[in-house]
Structure formats: structure tokens, C-alpha cells
């Protein structure tokens, strides 16, 4: 089966106001149903790259195409694109003044103008799937970090996104909560969700990825299947990075 | 018969006059506060501007208002305007102008810090869900800002109510002035009138301000957890 390309970037360049170059000529392509994991040292531009994919960040040059259509950041279609690309951040992204259910329903109501009974039902089903049916009327501050992140995933899923971008969604969690969140992501992958995942959990990366991208200083240094990458990294920098990880892990 | 000081309060319509004076104070404070809130919201957004020059100018405004005693401002507007610009404000108008000028600066600073205390992820999550700028502010940022603002806004209001006592000095008849008139009128008949009258004024201020500062404290506590 030939997989259809859903998202791609061509020679993406980005620097912040201080002139520091964060993304350097990144050409990237994502196929439908594919799970790509991006790893790399802190500050190498992983989060910036994900934000660019979702048009949250302006780029200096280069193109971003969704299903072969070049997306113009100045255009209104950006808002439609963002509905098709869900995103979950590291933390603090539930809205603290809204209950869990209202957090989930905000965008379906206000953005997609969907019908109340239908979305509410779907929200409840999704909450049940992630094991949080009994939490729908509480506020985010009453949830543990792991529970919050599962809600954040549900909030992204209810928009029926075609792609999910996950930016270190377990980095702020206590170790015992990491698993419950990653389990949800693994299930999504199994169901064929297209995802771009930034993570520092190497075992998880190995298990979930179809393809691994290793970034360093704004450049994609190495790219390959998880097996190739983790067992026999080709570049020196990737080797160093993985070694450092083993050292930390012990 | 020896005059009991407390009688002073019930002579004629003294108590009602005091209440009337209090009403004048409150009116000035509440009116100024309403203007300050509206203008301060705008000023607060201006203060978060990314333009450096805009930030410097708004900072200058805020700091100069803070440095200058309100009394000086009152004199400047009330006497200064009359003398040099030939505009005659009534005492009340001058007071509302000055308190609004002051309140807008303070309120703006509160709005600024409330806006800045909202993590950038809150905006990004909103945009990532497909909301536009209007939607992000309306459903996510403004509700959170208002919650954070309520306690400090109450504090500003009570400060404003207390500061209204300065307007005596530009001839506005408010509660302290009424009290003084009552005391002066009975200087010989009731020697300790001052104690009773000021005592009552104290209680009046307390009764008005306490609910606000109590509400502020409660809100603060509630929002913290
Ligand atoms: N809003 C910003 N303004 C200026 N510089 C920024 C901004 N955001 C990030 N940077 C800088 O850009 C570089 C890349 O940041 P980015 O957050 O994309 O890295 P990252 O790979 O996600 O790192 P981490 O693993 O720590 O999350 C860093 O050097 C960072 O300091
Ligand atoms: Mg990051």
C-alpha cells in the first residue's frame, strides 16, 4: 500500500528576534498513519519545529504544505488547518477556569459550531476511554498531572484532527504518571493516528515510532527506523546523545 | 443637665447629614473607579505592548502618578486649571478627574500584571484548537484575567474610598466636612463632640470598606487553591 503524504515542509528556516538561528533548512514529510518521533538535545529546536507545523510560529523562509496545498500564514485557512492538526503541550495547557468537560467542549462549540448533545456524548466516550469519566465536572487543579495530560489529549481528539502533535507531553510528570499517558498515545498509534511526537522517553520512542528524526542545532542530523537508529546510529552526534542518555538512565 | 456627647449624633438630623456626606464620598469613589476600570483595562493592554517606546511612556505615566501625592494633583486640577486655563471645575468634577487619572494608572498596572501572569501556553492552546484572536481573548484570557484582578481591584476601591477624604480641601462637602460642621456648631454645648463624630465616621468608613477588603481576601484565598 502506498501511503499518501499529508504534511510536508520544504527548507524551513526560522530564527528568533535575537538573530539566533533555530531551524535550518528543514525538509520533512509525514505520511498518513505514520508516527514520527523527534528526539534531540534540549534547545535544538524541536518545540519550535512543532509550533511551526501548526502555524503558531512565523517562519523566515520555506513552505509548509498540508495535503499538497501550501499554507499561507496570513490567510484565514490557518484556522481551519489548526482544527485538522491537534496539539498537546508539555503542561499548563488546560484552561483553569473551565471544568474538564467545558475544556473539551470549548472548541467544538465555538470553533466547529457542533451540536451540543452530539459533542457532549462524544466527550464522555473519550473521557471513558482514557479512564476519566468521573472527572468531567471537576476543575483542572483537582487533577493529577497525568490526568490533566490525558484530558488535554481528549481535548485535541474531539476536534477529529488528522494529525496530532505531541510536545514532550510527559516531561513535567512524575515517573509513575508517565505510563498512563503514554499508554493512551500507544493506543492511538495502534489505531492509525498520524502523529509527530517529541519525547525524551527512549523506550517509548522505540515502541511507538515508525520513523525517528534526530535533531541537533536546528538541523535534522539523522533519520531512520527506530531499530536502525537506536541499535546502530550512523552519526557521531547521535551516538553521543544516546550514550549520554544511557549514562543518565543508570 | 450635663450634655452627653453621644446626643450630638441624634440632634436634629445630624446622623442623616453624616450619611449624606458619606454618600458623596462613595459617589466620588465609585464613579472614579468605574472610569478607572474601563480606561485601566485599555491602559493595561497598552502596557503589554511589544513596542519599547509605548512601554516606556506608559511606565512614565504610572510612576509619575505614583510619586505625586493625590493632594497635589487635586490642587493642580482644581486651582491650577482655574487660574491658568480658565476652566472652572466643580470640586466634585476635579476629584473624579484626579482619581480617575490615578486609578487608571494603578488599574492599568494591575491589568498588565494579570495579563503577564497568564502562561503563554494558554494562548497557544487556544490558537492550536483553531480559535481566532478574539476567541482566545474572550473565552480564555479575559475570564482568567478578571479572576486574578478581582482581589486587587477591591483593594484599589477601598483605597480610593479612603482617599476621597482629601476632597475636603478643595471645598467638597463630604462626610469629614459634614462632621467638622457638626462639631463646630456645637463647640460650646458639647465639648467632646469631636470624639463622637469622628468615631462614627470611623465606623462608617469601616462598614463600607470592610466588606470589600473581606471579599478581596476571600477571593484571593479561593483563587489560590
Ligand atoms: N519565544 C522565543 N524567543 C526567543 N528564543 C526562543 C523562543 N523559544 C525558544 N527559543 C530558543 O530557541 C531555541 C530552540 O528552542 P526550542 O524550545 O524549540 O527547543 P527544544 O528542542 O524544544 O528544547 P527542549 O528539549 O528543552 O524543549 C532555544 O535556544 C531557545 O532558547
Ligand atoms: Mg521543547
Amino acid at each position: 500500500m502506498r501511503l499518501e503524504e499529508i504534511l510536508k515542509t520544504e527548507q524551513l528556516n526560522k530564527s528568533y528576534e535575537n538573530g539566533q538561528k533555530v531551524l535550518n533548512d528543514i525538509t520533512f514529510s509525514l505520511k498518513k498513519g505514520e508516527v514520527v518521533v523527534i528526539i534531540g538535545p534540549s534547545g535544538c529546536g524541536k518545540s519550535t519545529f512543532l509550533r511551526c507545523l501548526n502555524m503558531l510560529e512565523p517562519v523566515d523562509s520555506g513552505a509548509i504544505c498540508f495535503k499538497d496545498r501550501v499554507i499561507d500564514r496570513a490567510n484565514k485557512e490557518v484556522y481551519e488547518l489548526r482544527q485538522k492538526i491537534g496539539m498537546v503541550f508539555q503542561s499548563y495547557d488546560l484552561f483553569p477556569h473551565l471544568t474538564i468537560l467545558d475544556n473539551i467542549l470549548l472548541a467544538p462549540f465555538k470553533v466547529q459550531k457542533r451540536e451540543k448533545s452530539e459533542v457532549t456524548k462524544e466527550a464522555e466516550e473519550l473521557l471513558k476511554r482514557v479512564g476519566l469519566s468521573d472527572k468531567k465536572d471537576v476543575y483542572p487543579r483537582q487533577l493529577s498531572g497525568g490526568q490533566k495530560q490525558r484530558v488535554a489529549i481528549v481535548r485535541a481528539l474531539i476536534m477529529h484532527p488528522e494529525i496530532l502533535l505531541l510536545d514532550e507531553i510527559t516531561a513535567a510528570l512524575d515517573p509513575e504518571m508517565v505510563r498512563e499517558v503514554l499508554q493512551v498515545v500507544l493506543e492511538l498509534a495502534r489505531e492509525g493516528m498520524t502523529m509527530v511526537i517529541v519525547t525524551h522517553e527512549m523506550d517509548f520512542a522505540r515502541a511507538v515510532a515508525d520513523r525517528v528524526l534526530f535533531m541537533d542545532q536546528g538541523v535534522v542530523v539523522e533519520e531512520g527506523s527506530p531499530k536502525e537508529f537506536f541499535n546502530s546510529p550512523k552519526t557521531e552526534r547521535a551516538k553521543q546523545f544516546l550514550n549520554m542518555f544511557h549514562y543518565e538512565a543508570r | 443637665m450635663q450634655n452627653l456627647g453621644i446626643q450630638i449624633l441624634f440632634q436634629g438630623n445630624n446622623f442623616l447629614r453624616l450619611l449624606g456626606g458619606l454618600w458623596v464620598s462613595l459617589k466620588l469613589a465609585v464613579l472614579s473607579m468605574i472610569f478607572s476600570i474601563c480606561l485601566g483595562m485599555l491602559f493595561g493592554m497598552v502596557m503589554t505592548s511589544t513596542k519599547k517606546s509605548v512601554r516606556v511612556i506608559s511606565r512614565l505615566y504610572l510612576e509619575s502618578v505614583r510619586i505625586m501625592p493625590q493632594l497635589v494633583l487635586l490642587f493642580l486640577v482644581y486651582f491650577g486649571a482655574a487660574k491658568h486655563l480658565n476652566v472652572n471645575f466643580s470640586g466634585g468634577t476635579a476629584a473624579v478627574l484626579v482619581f480617575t487619572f490615578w486609578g487608571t494608572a494603578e488599574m492599568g498596572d494591575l491589568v498588565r500584571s494579570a495579563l503577564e501572569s497568564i502562561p503563554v501556553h494558554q494562548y497557544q492552546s487556544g490558537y492550536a484548537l483553531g480559535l481566532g484572536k478574539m476567541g482566545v481573548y474572550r473565552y480564555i484570557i479575559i475570564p482568567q484575567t478578571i479572576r486574578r484582578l478581582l482581589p486587587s481591584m477591591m483593594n484599589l476601591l477601598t483605597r480610593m474610598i479612603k482617599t476621597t477624604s482629601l476632597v475636603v480641601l478643595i471645598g467638597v462637602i463630604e462626610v469629614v466636612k459634614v462632621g467638622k460642621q457638626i462639631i463646630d456648631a456645637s463647640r460650646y454645648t458639647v465639648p467632646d463632640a469631636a470624639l463622637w463624630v469622628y468615631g462614627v465616621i470611623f465606623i462608617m468608613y469601616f462598614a463600607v470598606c470592610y466588606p470589600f477588603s473581606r471579599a478581596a481576601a476571600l477571593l484571593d484565598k479561593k483563587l489560590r487553591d
Side-chain angles (χ1 to χ4, degrees):
Chain A
M1 185 180 75
R2 226 186 103 254
L3 292 169
E4 119 190 56
E5 188 175 66
I6 185 165
L7 186 69
K8 84 177 171 209
T9 71
E10 267 162 22
Q11 298 178 328
L12 219 54
N13 283 287
K14 157 96 194 163
S15 26
Y16 284 110
E17 293 79 26
N18 55 13
Q20 180 201 1
K21 190 135 195 188
V22 184
L23 297 182
N24 203 338
D25 259 345
I26 298 210
T27 297
F28 164 84
S29 131
L30 180 69
K31 297 193 173 54
K32 199 156 179 54
E34 196 180 24
V35 177
V36 172
V37 169
I38 303 179
I39 62 176
S42 182
C44 72
K46 305 180 295 288
S47 301
T48 306
F49 180 58
L50 285 200
R51 285 202 302 272
C52 288
L53 287 181
N54 207 3
M55 308 274 158
L56 287 173
E57 198 84 67
V59 296
D60 304 341
S61 67
I64 298 174
C65 312
F66 181 76
K67 293 187 173 167
D68 289 330
R69 234 179 54 234
V70 178
I71 305 296
D72 176 5
R73 200 169 176 275
N75 200 307
K76 272 220 160 61
E77 64 187 346
V78 166
Y79 296 105
E80 271 151 48
L81 177 82
R82 289 194 189 129
Q83 294 172 47
K84 298 194 180 112
I85 306 184
M87 186 155 185
V88 181
F89 300 88
Q90 184 169 333
S91 58
Y92 312 116
D93 62 341
L94 292 185
F95 307 130
H97 62 297
L98 299 177
T99 63
I100 297 311
L101 194 60
D102 288 339
N103 258 280
I104 299 170
L105 296 183
L106 180 67
F109 282 176
K110 303 298 179 197
V111 180
Q112 296 180 321
K113 317 269 184 235
R114 274 152 72 186
E115 216 234 307
K116 182 162 182 161
S117 58
E118 173 244 339
V119 216
T120 311
K121 192 158 153 272
E122 189 182 345
E124 281 166 355
E125 277 162 16
L126 284 169
L127 278 174
K128 191 166 159 207
R129 247 189 76 177
V130 300
L132 294 171
S133 327
D134 54 332
K135 301 290 187 195
K136 69 178 161 70
D137 294 318
V138 307
Y139 285 89
R141 62 172 177 276
Q142 291 162 278
L143 297 188
S144 73
Q147 292 171 330
K148 278 185 211 165
Q149 288 303 62
R150 281 183 277 159
V151 172
I153 294 173
V154 168
R155 191 177 65 180
L157 285 178
I158 199 157
M159 301 292 283
H160 302 150
E162 299 188 37
I163 306 171
L164 213 49
L165 310 176
L166 308 179
D167 189 3
E168 297 196 48
I169 59 168
T170 57
L173 300 184
D174 292 336
E176 69 268 26
M177 286 165 190
V178 170
R179 200 178 182 87
E180 66 188 37
V181 175
L182 295 186
Q183 203 63 45
V184 173
V185 180
L186 274 170
E187 256 163 55
L188 288 173
R190 226 169 273 143
E191 285 162 19
M193 188 72 186
T194 314
M195 292 191 275
V196 182
I197 303 174
V198 172
T199 184
H200 281 303
E201 302 284 336
M202 294 303 150
D203 289 340
F204 168 69
R206 199 191 280 256
V208 78
D210 294 316
R211 183 151 57 98
V212 177
L213 248 65
F214 175 67
M215 265 177 84
D216 193 17
Q217 297 180 350
V219 185
V220 177
V221 177
E222 189 169 336
E223 185 174 351
S225 75
K227 215 168 173 179
E228 281 164 17
F229 179 77
F230 286 107
N231 294 346
S232 45
K234 293 190 282 284
T235 58
E236 205 47 45
R237 273 192 273 181
K239 274 181 209 160
Q240 276 170 6
F241 178 75
L242 288 173
N243 275 341
M244 183 186 73
F245 230 88
H246 279 299
Y247 174 72
E248 274 185 352
R250 231 154 254 171
Chain B
M1 196 186 98
Q2 171 81 44
N3 245 335
L4 284 174
I6 195 169
Q7 281 178 351
I8 188 83
L9 298 174
F10 304 106
Q11 266 170 16
N13 53 4
N14 279 355
F15 192 70
L16 276 180
R17 283 175 62 202
L18 278 177
L19 277 180
L22 184 69
W23 177 235
V24 171
S25 306
L26 269 180
K27 252 193 331 211
L28 291 179
V30 169
L31 210 57
S32 312
M33 196 65 196
I34 291 171
F35 289 135
S36 299
I37 289 173
C38 299
L39 295 172
M41 291 269 181
L42 292 177
F43 181 54
M45 289 194 204
V46 169
M47 285 183 89
T48 59
S49 160
T50 44
K51 283 216 185 67
K52 182 128 198 208
S53 54
V54 175
R55 285 213 312 272
V56 168
I57 291 170
S58 41
R59 200 80 220 170
L60 268 174
Y61 164 43
L62 174 66
E63 294 304 333
S64 50
V65 170
R66 278 193 179 153
I67 290 168
M68 198 149 3
Q70 279 93 1
L71 188 59
V72 176
L73 279 174
L74 275 176
F75 282 170
L76 212 63
V77 171
Y78 187 65
F79 299 116
K83 190 157 180 200
H84 298 291
L85 304 176
N86 248 334
V87 216
N88 275 304
F89 293 120
S90 74
T93 311
V96 171
L97 273 176
V98 165
F99 291 144
T100 303
F101 186 69
W102 163 52
T104 300
E106 293 285 357
M107 186 67 199
D109 198 41
L110 296 176
V111 171
R112 177 198 57 76
S113 74
L115 280 175
E116 283 175 355
S117 72
I118 291 175
V120 62
H121 274 165
Q122 289 286 316
Y123 294 85
Q124 288 188 345
S125 305
Y127 289 124
L129 286 169
L131 285 165
K133 195 167 179 154
M134 287 288 281
V136 167
Y137 273 90
R138 178 159 165 213
Y139 301 117
I140 301 170
I141 305 305
I142 291 178
Q144 289 185 60
T145 313
I146 289 177
R147 271 149 205 259
R148 282 166 205 229
L149 272 177
L150 277 176
S152 38
M153 244 163 70
M154 299 275 176
N155 282 331
L156 184 59
L157 178 60
T158 55
R159 271 166 69 200
M160 209 168 262
I161 293 173
K162 285 183 286 191
T163 314
T164 51
S165 56
L166 290 179
V167 299
V168 186
L169 299 166
I170 56 168
V172 179
I173 317 274
E174 47 69 81
V175 63
V176 175
K177 181 73 183 173
V178 174
K180 211 157 156 31
Q181 289 170 347
I182 294 174
I183 295 162
D184 285 345
S186 48
R187 170 144 307 169
Y188 302 107
T189 45
V190 192
D192 56 354
L195 185 68
W196 289 98
V197 170
Y198 285 130
V200 164
I201 292 176
F202 171 80
I203 293 170
M204 280 176 166
Y205 270 119
F206 183 80
V208 170
C209 292
Y210 183 72
F212 290 118
S213 56
R214 189 76 202 123
L218 278 178
L219 276 171
D220 204 29
K221 184 159 174 275
K222 193 164 161 233
L223 294 177
R224 199 153 290 181
D225 50 44

